[in-house]
Amino acid sequence: MSLQIFLDRLDQLQSDAQNAFDGAAGIDALEDARVTFLGAKNGQFKDVQKMLGGIDSADKRTAGMRLNEVKKAINDAFETAQAQLDSGGDSQIEPGFDPSLPGHQPQLGHIHPITQTIDHLTEIMGRMGFEVAEGPEVEDPFHNFVALNIPEDHPARDPLDNFYLATAGKSADTGEGDALLRSQTSTVQIRVMQSRQPPIRIISLGRVYRPDAPDATHFPMFHQMEGLYVDTNVTMANLKTVLRVFANNYLGDDVEIRFRPSFFPFTEPSVEVDFLWNGSWIEFGGAGMIDPNVFAAVGYDPEKVSGFAFGLGVERLCMRRHGITDIRDLYSGDLRFLQQF
Ligand code: FA5
């Protein structure tokens, strides 16, 4: 066989193999092409290799060198095609899939509007020097009632007005009475005063529970922001200033608020704090000067210290700021509502 025919045959083989490997649509097709060209028994390369025996001995060296070059080129072409398929190369893409289109964005959640409100209130009160204190949601009657000057026969202790946990047993702190879900954050006032000495300037934000029927402004679980300021010579003027500055910061300079005489067993005098909304007054919290009996319950001398406390409804504040007209929207879990915040 002439050298030229042999070399032509090799060129043809190399280009056929390259085209077959490049055009293989998947791993199986590539394997078929490999067997066709590189198969140890009947592969096309093997066939051409056998022809080397028919080349004149003077041309054998040239023919052998070229044979080795082509073998290496075909092997390289196979490996390149294989690597491309392994890495999910173009040839594996499903028909109809357009890789230039933007991908699916993973859906990221965001902070619930009530948590956003808590963060905002904490920030405003922090600027006035109030630090955050925490207390448990499962309370004992001492912290929820007794120390707050709410006697045994007070209607606020009625089982129909509270979530008592009858099976939870006696309070861990006092060994007395059935535990309950706290009905107000005022419990934290007691816990802080029991563990610290004045001056005290804290807020406490958290969940409270009452068996209230849900309506546009009530929910059985809601949040309160408790405030407590104890020092010497604290007056009602300090209380009014703090609440007014707070309301202006959170609801805007144009907000109208008013203080209405009221009664809480743990403050004397007591007030309700209202803001004007759509032409009517809405109560957003209670407040007052700490009752001397409360100071006595935590071991403070009522002759030496004075202070004020307030408890504001977090949902009502959030609703007023964002124009939310139904508290139930906050807890329905409806993303069409929540995504607006
Ligand atoms: C209290 O809970 C007192 N502890 C507040 C207080 C603290 C007074 C310190 C004096 C000193 P009241 O029960 O009024 O007070 O509740 C306070 C606020 O919680 C209400 O003004 C209202 O904004 C909110 N609130 C009460 N019940 C609900 C409810 N079911 N759903 C949503 N918000 C409520």
Side-chain angles (χ1 to χ4, degrees):
M1 175 188 261
S2 90
L3 176 64
Q4 194 52 54
I5 293 178
F6 182 74
L7 295 181
D8 289 348
R9 183 78 187 85
L10 275 177
D11 287 347
Q12 184 64 46
L13 179 67
Q14 180 177 349
S15 110
D16 288 352
Q18 180 85 51
N19 289 338
F21 295 155
D22 287 351
I27 291 290
D28 292 343
L30 182 63
E31 177 58 14
D32 289 347
R34 188 192 68 77
V35 172
T36 305
F37 291 97
L38 295 170
K41 271 193 182 162
N42 300 317
Q44 290 190 20
F45 181 81
K46 223 40 192 192
D47 292 345
V48 179
Q49 194 177 23
K50 284 180 199 150
M51 296 173 193
L52 188 63
I55 301 286
D56 291 348
S57 37
D59 295 330
K60 262 215 173 94
R61 193 176 133 77
T62 313
M65 278 168 55
R66 179 69 189 131
L67 184 81
N68 284 337
E69 280 171 15
V70 169
K71 184 176 185 184
K72 182 171 183 317
I74 295 177
N75 272 317
D76 287 352
F78 169 73
E79 279 168 19
T80 306
Q82 191 177 42
Q84 210 188 354
L85 287 177
D86 284 349
S87 65
D90 291 354
S91 47
Q92 263 190 336
I93 289 174
E94 295 166 27
F97 177 81
D98 181 351
S100 66
L101 287 174
H104 291 295
Q105 289 288 332
Q107 278 215 347
L108 283 186
H110 65 75
I111 296 177
H112 190 277
I114 287 299
T115 313
Q116 290 181 31
T117 306
I118 287 174
D119 290 347
H120 194 173
L121 303 185
T122 304
E123 191 254 325
I124 293 172
M125 296 307 294
R127 278 191 263 138
M128 285 194 270
F130 286 78
E131 57 175 299
V132 173
E134 306 244 4
E137 288 176 30
V138 175
E139 264 295 4
D140 53 65
F142 177 77
H143 291 91
N144 204 81
F145 303 122
V146 179
L148 288 165
N149 203 26
I150 304 175
E152 188 79 52
D153 55 355
H154 195 280
R157 298 179 67 157
D158 194 304
L160 292 177
D161 288 332
N162 293 282
F163 289 111
Y164 283 98
L165 305 175
T167 53
K170 305 297 173 197
S171 143
D173 276 25
T174 62
E176 283 171 21
D178 284 326
L180 74 162
L181 295 178
R182 68 179 175 190
S183 59
Q184 50 186 348
T185 44
S186 302
T187 52
V188 185
Q189 292 181 33
I190 304 302
R191 290 188 175 273
V192 169
M193 287 193 280
Q194 278 179 319
S195 61
R196 287 160 59 167
Q197 290 300 313
I200 288 174
R201 202 188 304 188
I202 60 102
I203 50 167
S204 186
L205 291 119
R207 293 187 191 95
V208 300
Y209 304 85
R210 295 180 191 176
D212 289 347
D215 63 20
T217 52
H218 292 85
F219 208 69
M221 184 284 302
F222 60 101
H223 295 72
Q224 288 186 333
M225 173 168 76
E226 193 78 11
L228 173 68
Y229 191 127
V230 185
D231 206 337
T232 48
N233 304 315
V234 181
T235 69
M236 193 88 182
N238 300 133
L239 167 64
K240 292 182 81 170
T241 302
V242 165
L243 286 179
R244 199 173 288 282
V245 170
F246 163 75
N248 287 148
N249 267 276
Y250 185 66
L251 298 173
D253 282 337
D254 54 345
V255 66
E256 268 198 73
I257 67 170
R258 75 174 181 192
F259 299 88
R260 194 161 36 91
S262 184
F263 173 79
F264 294 99
F266 35 94
T267 45
E268 182 57 38
S270 304
V271 290
E272 300 277 4
V273 196
D274 303 338
F275 53 66
L276 195 56
W277 192 12
N278 296 336
S280 50
W281 291 100
I282 309 260
E283 170 200 318
F284 69 99
M289 304 305 294
I290 311 279
D291 192 289
N293 286 348
V294 175
F295 283 141
V298 297
Y300 286 4
D301 183 349
E303 297 298 326
K304 292 202 178 127
V305 294
S306 49
F308 65 74
F310 56 84
L312 314 180
V314 173
E315 280 77 1
R316 300 235 179 127
L317 288 165
C318 170
M319 289 165 72
R320 167 68 165 75
R321 185 178 160 98
H322 296 291
I324 300 167
T325 49
D326 195 322
I327 190 173
R328 290 166 292 195
D329 287 336
L330 288 166
Y331 299 114
S332 67
D334 188 338
L335 288 181
R336 290 168 304 177
F337 171 80
L338 292 173
Q339 273 164 349
Q340 298 175 53
F341 298 90

